[in-house]
Amino acid sequence: MKEKIDTNAPQKKTYKAVFLDWDDTIGDWVNAAQQALQDIYATYHLEDLYATFEDYLEAYEPYNLMLWGKYGQNEITKEYLQFERFYRPLMIQPEPTLRGRSKEEIAKEIGVEFLRLTNRYFSLLPDADVVVRQLAAKYPLTIISNGFGEVQYYKFAHSGLQDLFTHLLISEEVGINKPQPEIFRIALERNGVTADEAVMIGDSYNSDIAGAKAAGIDQIWIHQGETGETATYIVPTLKDVLKLL
């Protein structure tokens, strides 16, 4: 396996295409989701089930992460993920209803509201605008995202960056999710390049880095702290990508 490479090293490999993840690589999904969930906690009176917002997050976040892992492996559908991630935190509490409403009805409503709110709270990560513009001046850029199409296209359109991407590859549209290597091979085909001529940039090891590795594509992993995993390059921030490309 390849080891971490010093981003200040003078040697640079020449690429013909750059692939990027969107959520938490370019767009600030963590902040948008946190604010959306805080609104949901207050609006749907989830304090009746969980004493604090933090208690609700402890029930929601690990299960949501597990479901996204299953979605990435094509083990569950988008519809199942969207409903179940909000239904289970309600159902593990003993109360049969919530203020006279069925928990199933509330979970369905929360699922729709969550997507609306995350669009409302959408923002770019620091330096994302600068980095994407500098990369687009040198390479054709392709987004590869597992995010839901109706949400991702809203964020693309409101980012001010959409015209800088040559291709927008949404997993549900092609029927293949990251980390399946086939979605990366589709990106290669659309750009007319081979695996050794492209590089993938992302924050998620499981989705972005492992998937690119499986497709034979170099990777730039945006990651801080110690890790037992490796990538072609590991950098602490998105801005550090510019030292490599």
Side-chain angles (χ1 to χ4, degrees):
M1 298 176 70
K2 296 182 180 179
E3 298 181 353
K4 179 177 177 179
I5 295 178
D6 182 1
T7 59
N8 294 309
Q11 66 273 17
K12 290 185 179 181
K13 182 175 176 180
T14 300
Y15 297 103
K16 293 184 178 180
V18 172
F19 305 157
L20 301 103
D21 170 54
W22 182 269
D23 288 322
D24 294 325
T25 297
I26 296 173
D28 191 350
W29 172 255
V30 167
N31 181 62
Q34 181 91 351
Q35 292 190 69
L37 289 170
Q38 285 178 330
D39 284 2
I40 285 168
Y41 179 82
T43 300
Y44 291 91
H45 304 288
L46 299 187
E47 72 275 7
D48 291 356
L49 304 179
Y50 295 93
T52 68
F53 174 65
E54 289 69 27
D55 290 338
Y56 174 63
L57 280 186
E58 286 183 11
Y60 168 82
E61 287 188 328
Y63 191 62
N64 177 59
L65 185 62
M66 183 274 291
L67 289 174
W68 274 102
K70 288 181 174 292
Y71 182 68
Q73 295 295 336
N74 294 324
E75 295 176 6
I76 60 174
T77 65
K78 165 189 171 181
E79 290 74 21
Y80 182 86
L81 186 161
Q82 176 69 345
F83 171 75
E84 182 66 15
R85 61 176 169 171
F86 296 110
Y87 185 55
R88 185 175 183 273
L90 303 182
M91 290 305 298
I92 61 177
Q93 297 299 323
E95 295 82 352
T97 61
L98 182 58
R99 301 206 174 193
R101 299 182 63 194
S102 77
K103 292 182 177 180
E104 181 175 355
E105 176 188 1
I106 292 171
K108 289 178 180 177
E109 194 172 305
I110 289 175
V112 174
E113 184 67 359
F114 179 74
L115 297 184
R116 185 188 72 82
L117 288 169
T118 54
N119 280 347
R120 173 184 175 185
Y121 290 122
F122 163 76
S123 64
L124 293 174
L125 285 166
D127 302 315
D129 187 281
V130 170
V131 172
V132 170
R133 292 183 185 280
Q134 290 195 34
L135 291 177
K138 300 168 63 177
Y139 308 95
L141 305 182
T142 297
I143 292 293
I144 307 177
S145 174
N146 278 359
F148 300 157
E150 66 271 27
V151 178
Q152 299 304 72
Y153 282 114
Y154 176 93
K155 291 185 285 190
F156 298 155
H158 289 78
S159 68
L161 302 175
Q162 183 170 359
D163 292 343
L164 300 177
F165 299 108
T166 304
H167 302 286
L168 301 172
L169 200 56
I170 307 299
S171 63
E172 69 173 299
E173 294 182 348
V174 298
I176 306 168
N177 299 317
K178 294 182 298 182
Q180 305 303 312
E182 289 79 12
I183 194 169
F184 296 92
R185 292 175 184 139
I186 291 172
L188 293 172
E189 291 172 3
R190 293 192 180 181
N191 283 273
V193 298
T194 59
D196 64 347
E197 294 174 327
V199 63
M200 175 70 193
I201 302 169
D203 70 294
S204 169
Y205 183 84
N206 290 334
S207 293
D208 305 318
I209 307 308
K213 279 185 179 183
I217 298 169
D218 282 357
Q219 325 91 42
I220 301 177
W221 186 17
I222 302 171
H223 178 78
Q224 297 185 28
E226 295 299 319
T227 176
E229 305 292 354
T230 62
T232 312
Y233 309 97
I234 303 176
V235 297
T237 70
L238 179 63
K239 192 172 184 179
D240 290 309
V241 169
L242 297 178
K243 299 175 183 177
L244 298 168
L245 300 176

